[in-house]
Amino acid sequence: MRKLSWFAAAFSGAVFLAVYLLPEAVLAPAGACCALVALAGLPLRRKARLRTLLVCFGLATGLCWTGVYCALVRAPALRLNGMETTVTALVTDWPQGNDYSTAVLVEVYGEDGSGVKTLLYLNGEEAADLRPGDRLTVTASFQMADTMAGEPTSYYYAKGVLLIGSGGKKWTAERPAQAPVGCWPALFSGALKDSVARAFPDSTAPLVTALLTGDKTELPDGVYSALRRSGLAHVIAVSGLHVSFLAGLITTLLGRRRRLSAMVGIGLLFFFSAVAGNTPSVQRAALMQALLLIAPLADRENDPPTALSAVLMTLLAINPYAAASVSLQLSFAAVAGIFLFTGPLCERWGRKLPRKPKGFWPRLGCRMARVVFATVATTLGAIVFTTPLMAYYFDSVSLISPLTNLLSLWAVSHAFLGGLVTALVGLVLPAVATVMAWVVSLPVWYLQWLTAALAGLPFASVAVHSIYLVLWMILTYGLIFLWVLWRGPRGRVVVPVCLSTSTLCGALILQAAALTGGRLTVSVLDVGQGLSVALYSQGQTALIDCGGYDAGNVAADHFQSLGLSYIDLVILTHYHDDHAAGIPQLLERVDVGLLILPDVEPDSALRAEVEAAAREHGVGTLFITEGATAELGEANLNIYPPLGSGDSNEEGLSVLGSAGDFDFLVTGDMDTTVEGRLVKYGNLPDTELLVAGHHGSKDASSDQLLQAIQPEWAVISVGYNTYGHPTGETLARLAQYGCRIYRTDWSGTVTITAE
C-alpha cells in the first residue's frame, strides 16, 4: 500500500507545482525531464530504486496530465472566449439572485457536443424560476473564468467552472418531462432545503440548511460571523465531520453486516456528496470513508498516509485546478493533522486513566474522559496544519476554537443527524416533521447561543497582520517540529505548550500596545472599495464610516483583537453602501455608545436601515445639522455639517481630529466644490494625515484643499473598482504637495500613531 502513497504524493506535488508555479508551456518538457531522471535511479538498490522510480514517474505523470488537461479540457471554453453568441445549455444547479441579475450554473454545449461548466448571468425575473434539468437557448458574451475583481485567479477553475457568461437578455427555457439523472442530486438538495424551511422555525432553518447542504445563502451575517470567529465555520462547510456522522448512522442501522454496510454506505455517501455540491472537502471525505469501508472486505488494513495521498491524487486527476481550492487544502491539512497527532495524544492521555475501573461512576467517568480526550485531541490535530492556512487566506486565527469545539461537537452531531432525519420525514409527512423540528432545534439554538457568546469574548479571534503574532506562529510551529522530532517515548508536551501560550500572551500585549500607544492611533482599515477609519485614544474608541467589503466584521475584528468590545462613537459621513452598509453587522458584534449621522436624505433606504439597527440594539443617535465637537481621550474631533446640496456625496459630514500637534482630516466623498467650502469655513490647520476623499477620485483632494492643509501623509482607502480609483491626476497632485501616499489595496490596513 505504501508504494501507492509514494507515487500519489509525487503526482499531487507535481500538480500543485503546475498550478501555482510552472508556466503551462513547460509542463510537458518538465514531465519528460522527470521521466528521464528516473533512469538515473536504476543502479540503486531495490528499495531505493523503487522509490526513485515511483517518485519520478509520479512527478512526470502529474506534470504531463496537468498539461493535457489544460490543452484538451479547456479547448471548448477557449473557442467561446471573447465571443457573443447563441448557445444551448443545461441548468445544473438552482439559480442565485442578486441585485442586478441571476447567476445560474450551467453546462454550455459546443458544436462537438462537449459541455463546458459555465457560470451564466441572466436578466429577467423569470430566471429565478429555473431549476436543474431545464434546457436554455441563450445569447450571451463569454470569457474565461480566470479573473476575479480584475486579478488573475484560479477560484472558478478550482470549482470546475471554465467560463463566465454575461449579458443574457435574450434567452428561452424548456423544461423536460424528466430531468437528466445527473441533476437528481441538485433537485433532491432543493427538496431538502424546502423541507427544512417548512418544518423548522425561522431562527434555526438557515443553520440546519447550511449543516445539511453547505448552502449559506440564507444564513444571517451575525450567525456566520460568530461561527467564523469561534472557530466553528467548518461545520457549515460539509466535509469529513458530516460524512463520519452519516457513516456512523448507516453502520448503526445495518449492524454487523459489513458487506451490505459497505455497498449501501458507499452509494449513500457519494449521493450525499453530490447533494452537498461535490465540493473538494466532501468528495475527499466520501472517498476516504469509502476506502475505510472497503479495506476490511479486501483483507487490507486502512493505511492513513496511503488513503490520504491516493484520494488527493484522485481529486487532482479529475480537476488539477482543484489544487487551488482553499476548502481542499484545509480539508486535507485537517485530516493530516488528525492522523499525525490525534492518536498519540489520545493514547498518552488515556494512560492516565485506570484500565479497569470498578463501579458505575468510575466507569462512567472514564468513558466521559475518553470522549473529552478524543474531542480535544481531534480538534488540536485538525488545527495544527489548518491554522497557517487560515492565517494566510483569511488573515485571522480563532484562539477560542479548541474550547468551542469541545463544547459544541455533540450539538453539531445531534443537529446534523436530527435535521437530516427531520428533512427526510418532511418530504412525506410535513406535519410530523414540524413537531420533530422543535426538538431538533434545541441543539441548534444551543449552537447559536454558544458561538455568539464565545465569539464576543476579547481575543476570541485575532488578525495576524501583526509581526508579533507572525513571530508567535513561527515559534509555535518550530516547537511542534522539535517535539515531533525529539519527543521520545515519554515526551512531555507541557513545556512547549506553556512556552507557546506565554509567548502568545506576550504577542497580544505587544500588538495591543502598538495600536494603543501614543495620544492617538488612526487605522484606515482594509475594506476594499469603501471606507472605515478606526480611532483609539487613551482607552476610548471611535469609528468613522463603516462601508466596503465585510466592513462591519472587519471593524469589529479590529477592536476585538485589541480586547475591546465597545466603541464609544461611530460617525457616518453619508448614506452610501461603501461608507455605511456595515453598520447593522457592526452593531451585531459590538456595543456602541453613540451614532452620529447627517440629517439628510430622509427617504434613503440605507438611512432607514441604519436607524432601525440602532433602535434594535439600543444605540443612541445624534443627527448633525450644525457643527459639533467630541472628546476622545486626548483627542478632539471637530465634526463639520453638510456643506453641499444635491447628491449624497455633497451632503456628507467631514471630520477633523486633533491630538497635540497631530491633525487628521476625513472628507468622505465630497467633491472639489464642497472641499472649497470646507477650506473657506472650516478654519483648517496644517494637517499631518489626510484620508483622501472619494477613494482617490479626480474630483476630490483638490489643489485648494491640499494647499490649505499641507498634509504629510495621504491614505487612500480603495479596492477593485471600475471607476479608475485612484486616478493618476489625484496621485500626481498628492505627490506634488509632498505627501507620502499609502493605499489599502497595496498595504492593507494602514495605521499611524501620534506620539
Side-chain angles (χ1 to χ4, degrees), residues 215-228:
D215 184 358
K216 301 183 286 290
T217 53
E218 299 299 324
L219 197 65
D221 289 342
V223 175
Y224 180 70
S225 172
L227 289 168
R228 180 179 59 84

Side-chain angles (χ1 to χ4, degrees), residues 21-145:
L21 294 177
L22 300 179
E24 192 174 316
V26 307
L27 295 182
C33 290
C34 289
L36 291 175
V37 170
L39 300 178
L42 292 176
L44 299 175
R45 294 181 179 180
R46 183 181 176 187
K47 285 188 176 180
R49 180 173 67 248
L50 180 60
R51 289 180 180 176
T52 301
L53 290 174
L54 288 172
V55 170
C56 289
F57 280 118
L59 290 170
T61 306
L63 292 170
C64 291
W65 169 241
T66 306
V68 169
Y69 183 93
C70 293
L72 297 183
V73 177
R74 289 194 307 167
L78 288 169
R79 285 195 288 269
L80 289 172
N81 184 36
M83 293 181 60
E84 181 174 1
T85 185
T86 301
V87 297
T88 58
L90 174 69
V91 177
T92 58
D93 206 346
W94 296 92
Q96 299 289 337
N98 56 45
D99 293 337
Y100 308 103
S101 59
T102 300
V104 187
L105 198 61
V106 300
E107 288 278 346
V108 171
Y109 295 108
E111 295 178 356
D112 57 356
S114 59
V116 180
K117 197 171 182 179
T118 303
L119 186 62
L120 182 63
Y121 289 93
L122 297 176
N123 296 324
E125 296 179 358
E126 300 85 357
D129 297 326
L130 293 172
R131 55 182 291 169
D134 289 349
R135 296 189 177 275
L136 299 177
T137 301
V138 57
T139 302
S141 58
F142 297 91
Q143 61 181 19
M144 297 300 291

Side-chain angles (χ1 to χ4, degrees), residues 348-404:
R348 188 180 302 275
W349 295 339
R351 293 197 201 110
K352 302 183 182 299
L353 298 175
R355 291 188 177 181
K356 296 182 178 180
K358 297 180 179 180
F360 173 77
W361 292 110
R363 287 197 298 271
L364 179 62
C366 286
R367 288 178 182 174
M368 293 181 65
R370 288 191 176 92
V371 171
V372 172
F373 290 164
T375 302
V376 174
T378 302
T379 301
L380 293 177
I383 67 176
V384 165
F385 294 138
T386 57
T387 297
L389 292 174
M390 294 292 290
Y392 177 76
Y393 286 115
F394 305 109
D395 195 33
S396 66
V397 173
S398 175
L399 301 180
I400 204 74
S401 173
L403 177 61
T404 310

